[in-house]
């Protein structure tokens, strides 16, 4: 295959193809994820929020600020999202024992059940996509 150089010396057409394929596979996963969330009755952003809270690995419980950072959204947007999710019976909010100004977030049993079903489906989809993702990532180091 002929090398395609677009301003960067040493980049191959395989590398461009690998990035294009990887982006396609990521988009394919995101479309699946958004559809699965909607089918479960959640807007995709709420699914992402539940996942960020359940998957939080910090020493403290997740807060609105943590959620904002994980979802790459502004803190006021995260606060609005949390409010809607609390109203929908998906989240609990409690004041931190260590810092009463900090609000900690938790999942309700309803949210845990929805997230469990969605996570099982997402893990299966990732197993299906894994070979294509690995193949795409393997192409990034190929140069002509």
């Amino acid at each position: 295959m002929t090398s395609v150089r677009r301003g960067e010396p040493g980049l191959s057409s395989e590398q461009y193809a690998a990035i294009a394929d990887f982006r396609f596979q990521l988009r394919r996963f995101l479309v699946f994820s958004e559809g699965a969330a909607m089918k479960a009755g959640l807007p995709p952003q709420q699914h992402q929020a539940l996942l960020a809270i359940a998957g939080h690995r910090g020493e403290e419980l997740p807060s609105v600020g943590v959620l904002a950072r994980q979802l790459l959204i502004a803190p006021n947007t995260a606060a609005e999202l949390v409010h809607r999710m609390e109203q929908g019976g998906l989240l609990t909010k409690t004041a931190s024992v260590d810092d009463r100004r900090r609000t900690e977030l938790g999942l309700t049993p309803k949210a845990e059940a929805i997230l469990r079903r969605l996570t099982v489906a997402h893990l299966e989809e990732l197993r299906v996509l894994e070979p294509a993702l690995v193949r795409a990532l393997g192409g990034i180091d190929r140069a002509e």
Side-chain angles (χ1 to χ4, degrees), residues 49-68:
L50 294 178
L51 192 56
I53 293 166
H56 179 67
R57 293 186 178 194
E59 290 183 25
E60 298 177 321
L61 293 173
S63 64
V64 172
V66 166
L67 187 61

Side-chain angles (χ1 to χ4, degrees), residues 36-47:
M38 296 298 282
K39 188 174 178 182
L42 288 179
Q45 192 176 45
Q46 288 188 13
H47 171 233

Side-chain angles (χ1 to χ4, degrees), residues 79-95:
E80 292 169 17
L81 176 63
V82 165
H83 177 73
R84 285 192 306 273
M85 293 176 72
E86 184 183 30
Q87 296 298 312
L90 298 171
L91 293 182
T92 61
K93 295 187 328 186
T94 56

